[in-house]
Amino acid sequence: MENEFPGRVDPDVVIIGGGIVGLFCAQQLRRRGAAVTVLERGRLGGPQSCSSGNTGFVGTHGAAPLAEPGMLGLAVPGATDPDSPWYIEPRQDADLTRWLAHFRRACSADAAVDGFRALIGMKKRSLAILLELCGASEELAALLESPGIVLAFKTAQGFAEASRAVARTVAGGVPLRALGPGELDELAPKTTFDIHGALYNPEGAYLHVPEFVLAFARVLRESGVEIHEHTEVTDFGVQDRNIVRLGTTRGELRPATVVIAAGAWSTECARIAGVDLLLQPIKGHSLTVAAPPSAPGLPVLLSEARVAMVPLGDRLRIGGQLELSGMSDTVSERRIRALLTAVREYLPAFEESPTLQTWSGLRPCTPDSLPLVGPAGELRNLLVAAGHGHIGMGLAPATGELVSQLLAGEYPITDPIPLRPNRFDASH
């Protein structure tokens, strides 16, 4: 039967996944001269993708691993209330049980320090790459905003704990400081807060998504990258530990190298290739509303509630929640109400406004919050770039650079050792 794939069938690299990680892998590989094809199972920026409804944070905010000593007692299915910011649905699932065992192991002070060091390095490198990219494209630059971010604390205990960590955070490379009297009013003059205190990171930045993803894809296509939407991988043809054929719903390809960057679907995709990835999808929710008059003009993190607010022109996106409940992306009205409840606790004058979008998405997470980047399994020409959790927008550029440097045989700027995909295997 004649191959019907609607593009080049023998590219240097096929990237499975057209999200932000896959696109940055494509951009960095194309810069080095590779012929690149990207396969996306749905529509770019569509409802199945994290960029459809997330907050788009980049910059140096959010480098702390999810696993930390304070999370140890919460790493049990059903240990928290279903309305809480962190919830694990009780269920029989061997993969979840194994993931939680490694998560608990990562809930140590030493692991948190090591994880922060690795993540902040990736975030800083990512921001440099992103700024260079936007410097060469007015269209992309218009979708990046960097007004800083406010971290608001409802309770005295929360603010005191965060304040004690400021010096350590600054020493680690994040320009965080406590806001003095009147400074919050200057940063958000239209917004009334009912909080105990706030911190400010002037390097807080964010992308308008999914608009950035769509514009970035146009830039990549102009550079020669082939991007095929609504194309799912069905099987891998393997010979002598090499992928020699890639079956898809639109025909077959014969790539020299394959990169799995399929977000929460990376686990199943890798499994088809005989590779085991220790990932769990952590569901997040968001609500996008018409921006009310009292909306803050810069990003605000409602810290204890784990809820973020991001202004998008005449819209306001409210996102948060961490829920381990499998691959279901059903929107929970209960979770949406919890987002609004949190906002009104911190911003008591927040007005009701029309809802424009409710969304839930699956963020692929590793037990230690570090992504899986590098060769995987026994296959010689397979790499993985997955497991970026809820900070994928801020880690994607450095991930793409690392993947391209590994394939080109260059000395990597980002240390690949902490990110190696097989680090959770019993033999490593």
Side-chain angles (χ1 to χ4, degrees):
M1 177 177 161
E2 185 179 348
N3 187 19
E4 298 177 353
F5 188 80
R8 178 169 178 170
V9 297
D10 59 347
D12 298 320
V13 184
V14 164
I15 298 167
I16 303 172
I20 194 67
V21 173
L23 295 184
F24 267 106
C25 288
Q27 186 250 350
Q28 290 289 319
L29 286 161
R30 186 68 191 128
R31 281 186 64 178
R32 287 163 174 78
V36 182
T37 295
V38 176
L39 308 179
E40 168 54 43
R41 65 189 296 272
R43 175 169 52 84
L44 285 178
Q48 83 290 345
S49 68
C50 283
S51 63
S52 176
N54 69 18
T55 49
F57 282 136
V58 294
T60 56
H61 168 70
L66 183 60
E68 58 181 2
M71 294 292 286
L72 189 57
L74 304 180
V76 179
T80 58
D81 188 273
D83 286 331
S84 70
W86 164 261
Y87 178 65
I88 307 172
E89 179 183 86
R91 64 188 190 278
Q92 294 296 320
D93 185 326
D95 290 336
L96 174 62
T97 299
R98 179 170 162 243
W99 189 95
L100 286 172
H102 283 277
F103 182 88
R104 286 190 285 270
R105 230 168 274 157
C107 287
S108 71
D110 288 344
V113 169
D114 291 343
F116 175 83
R117 187 181 300 117
L119 291 173
I120 193 61
M122 289 188 74
K123 276 180 153 281
K124 283 181 170 290
R125 182 59 191 157
S126 288
L127 185 58
I129 294 169
L130 180 63
L131 291 174
E132 179 186 357
L133 175 68
C134 290
S137 169
E138 290 185 6
E139 183 181 15
L140 296 181
L143 298 170
L144 169 65
E145 299 202 37
S146 51
I149 183 171
V150 169
L151 285 64
F153 295 88
K154 181 72 177 174
T155 65
Q157 179 183 352
F159 184 59
E161 290 176 357
S163 297
R164 284 194 292 270
V166 166
R168 184 172 69 248
T169 305
V170 171
V174 180
L176 197 64
R177 64 179 178 85
L179 290 175
E183 286 190 280
L184 184 56
D185 290 337
E186 292 177 13
L187 288 168
K190 299 182 298 180
T191 308
T192 301
F193 290 89
D194 180 14
I195 58 174
H196 194 84
L199 305 178
Y200 177 65
N201 177 356
E203 289 184 351
Y206 64 99
L207 299 168
H208 287 245
V209 289
E211 293 85 356
F212 181 88
V213 169
L214 300 176
F216 191 20
R218 287 193 291 271
V219 170
L220 292 177
R221 282 180 166 127
E222 290 170 2
S223 75
V225 174
E226 288 192 12
I227 301 176
H228 298 278
E229 300 174 89
H230 306 289
T231 306
E232 292 193 52
V233 171
T234 56
D235 64 289
F236 295 81
V238 177
Q239 183 177 328
D240 297 328
R241 291 177 53 207
N242 282 295
I243 297 170
V244 295
R245 180 187 58 79
L246 193 62
T248 81
T249 51
R250 302 180 72 190
E252 294 184 352
L253 295 95
R254 297 185 298 277
T257 302
V258 174
V259 177
I260 295 177
W265 288 270
S266 295
T267 305
E268 182 57 35
C269 187
R271 191 169 285 143
I272 297 172
V275 175
D276 179 38
L277 300 180
L278 190 58
L279 294 174
Q280 277 293 312
I282 295 189
K283 183 190 287 190
H285 280 78
S286 77
L287 170 71
T288 305
V289 299
S294 65
L298 79 170
V300 174
L301 178 66
L302 312 179
S303 297
E304 294 96 336
R306 294 183 180 267
V307 170
M309 306 174 69
V310 176
L312 300 169
D314 60 356
R315 297 172 295 147
L316 178 71
R317 181 161 293 159
I318 304 163
Q321 312 290 325
L322 299 165
E323 181 180 321
L324 279 151
S325 54
M327 286 295 288
S328 168
D329 61 356
T330 303
V331 173
S332 165
E333 290 303 321
R334 183 176 184 170
R335 287 289 184 177
I336 296 298
R337 287 196 301 272
L339 291 175
L340 286 171
T341 297
V343 170
R344 293 187 181 114
E345 287 177 353
Y346 287 71
L347 281 64
F350 187 80
E351 307 96 336
E352 286 191 21
S353 61
T355 296
L356 306 177
Q357 178 195 40
T358 57
W359 173 87
S360 73
L362 303 173
R363 301 166 293 196
C365 293
T366 62
D368 59 8
S369 296
L370 300 181
L372 309 176
V373 186
E378 300 299 320
L379 298 177
R380 295 188 180 99
N381 60 341
L382 175 68
L383 277 80
V384 168
H388 296 76
H390 63 289
I391 53 175
M393 305 299 292
L395 300 178
T399 296
E401 180 183 63
L402 177 56
V403 165
S404 66
Q405 289 173 333
L406 291 174
L407 287 178
E410 300 174 14
Y411 186 82
I413 292 174
T414 297
D415 184 1
I417 300 300
L419 313 179
R420 62 196 189 283
N422 63 359
R423 65 185 181 271
F424 301 111
D425 295 353
S427 58
H428 291 83

